[in-house]
Amino acid sequence: MSAIDGLPPLRAVIATHGLSAKKQLGQNFLLDLNLTAKIARQAGDLTQADVLEVGPGPGGLTRGLLAEGARRVLAVEKDPRCLPALAEISDAYPGQLEVINADALELDVAAHLTPPIKVVANLPYNVGTELLVRWLTPRQWPPFWQSLTLMFQKEVAERIVAKPGSKAYGRLALLVQWRAEARIVMTLPPEAFIPAPKVHSAVVHITRREAPLYPADERILSRITAAAFNQRRKMLRASLRGVAPDIESHLLAAGIPPTARGEEIELERFCALARSLAG
Ligand code: SAM
């Protein structure tokens, strides 16, 4: 459908500009503009925000964001074949859409945006987790963004929101939940995309905390969670042995049984362990 903006339907856009999907760029396109507008709405009110979109492709989500009234959209796309299609959207929304042909992993996006900034993206699966980790580990907190509304493989989305005791719980859950609040707001079947991926997808809405939930040194926390989940079936007194010679006393000081496994331990305890080790 094209009613949200009077531009041609996405199928026609793809045919006109020869945008056959490239697997190496993680291209699975959303063609239903009702669906892309619904994803855009998960980010909340966009009328007072600049939106960063990574990987606009033929522009389905971009059109959803603009139709939902985004103050301004900065769309960063690596594939130059998409630029003519995106230029048509710019023309339909004068002054509201800036397109940069670049690799999002190499661009300093904050320099192109005015706060408040919301990130909304149907990310290429191969760079999605890497971008998420970067956005959560800037040099200074709070980061340039207020919220992230991102499409992931459902399995990755579940790792982001996982709680202790579940198989999906690990480093990603701890990192995200330490600095932000995250919830799954939509799930999508493979058929929602062209071409259909092998797996289901989910949209995660992540809102930053102004300060991390519990005090801890980021590098120490990262080191202990890496060691704790590297061999997740091991007891912590064994998996963390390399972190400090007297690790058992630090575990006890943090209220963690040395025989426990990482997957049972809450974020608050990991932060207490990081503080004990820092002291
Ligand atoms: N947003 C569109 C949609 O929802 O239909 C396309 C989503 S598709 C899953 C991912 C898009 O990211 C593709 O257009 C691809 O070319 C682009 N892309 C892949 N790697 C990128 C990178 N490193 N930087 C910027 N864009 C990238």
Side-chain angles (χ1 to χ4, degrees):
M1 78 131 214
S2 59
I4 66 170
D5 51 22
L7 286 159
L10 281 157
R11 248 175 232 288
V13 172
I14 286 171
T16 308
H17 299 287
L19 299 177
S20 52
K22 284 192 181 170
K23 209 175 169 182
Q24 67 272 32
L25 283 170
Q27 292 183 336
N28 300 94
F29 300 134
L30 289 166
L31 301 194
D32 178 348
L33 291 168
N34 286 313
L35 188 59
T36 61
K38 189 172 169 193
I39 296 168
R41 283 198 291 278
Q42 305 307 318
D45 180 16
L46 301 177
T47 58
Q48 310 299 320
D50 272 17
V51 177
L52 167 65
E53 187 193 1
V54 175
L61 183 54
T62 322
R63 287 163 65 172
L65 292 164
L66 290 162
E68 287 302 312
R71 177 176 76 188
R72 205 176 140 255
V73 176
L74 173 70
V76 181
E77 173 56 62
K78 192 172 173 181
D79 184 353
R81 296 181 309 155
C82 299
L83 300 181
L86 296 167
E88 286 173 7
I89 307 173
S90 272
D91 292 344
Y93 290 91
Q96 275 178 274
L97 171 62
E98 182 185 352
V99 179
I100 300 186
N101 182 203
D103 183 336
L105 291 166
E106 287 173 10
L107 187 72
D108 175 15
V109 285
H112 297 264
L113 293 158
T114 308
I117 298 160
K118 296 187 172 194
V119 181
V120 185
N122 174 12
L123 292 167
Y125 288 147
N126 48 354
V127 293
T129 318
E130 180 166 353
L131 279 172
L132 174 64
V133 170
R134 283 194 196 187
W135 286 330
L136 285 161
T137 52
R139 269 199 218 120
Q140 285 194 327
W141 196 268
F144 75 89
W145 52 270
Q146 270 199 337
S147 67
L148 310 171
T149 307
L150 308 173
M151 180 91 68
F152 287 101
Q153 298 181 47
K154 189 160 170 262
E155 176 261 327
V156 175
E158 283 165 353
R159 278 170 42 211
I160 291 170
V161 302
K163 297 292 173 206
S166 67
K167 251 173 96 180
Y169 184 63
R171 287 189 80 187
L172 195 56
L174 287 160
L175 172 62
V176 176
Q177 294 170 34
W178 184 48
R179 293 194 136 165
E181 280 178 274
R183 60 200 167 88
I184 293 178
V185 289
M186 275 173 80
T187 51
L188 290 90
E191 313 80 75
F193 302 86
I194 300 287
K198 290 202 176 69
V199 293
H200 279 66
S201 300
V203 178
V204 186
H205 183 65
I206 297 171
T207 316
R208 76 178 189 197
R209 300 181 194 281
E210 290 312 304
L213 191 53
Y214 308 106
D217 179 282
E218 186 201 325
R219 276 164 307 171
I220 301 176
L221 189 60
S222 168
R223 181 145 180 245
I224 56 183
T225 56
F229 289 96
N230 193 21
Q231 293 167 294
R232 35 189 316 135
R233 298 302 308 154
K234 267 197 177 176
M235 291 179 189
L236 287 170
R237 69 175 175 212
S239 56
L240 297 182
R241 192 178 292 144
V243 173
D246 53 345
I247 192 67
E248 287 216 26
S249 61
H250 288 289
L251 285 165
L252 290 169
I256 301 173
T259 53
R261 296 180 171 82
E263 62 197 20
E264 303 160 38
I265 302 304
E266 290 184 352
L267 171 62
E268 188 175 4
R269 299 284 115 233
F270 275 114
C271 292
L273 179 60
R275 290 196 301 274
S276 172
L277 286 161

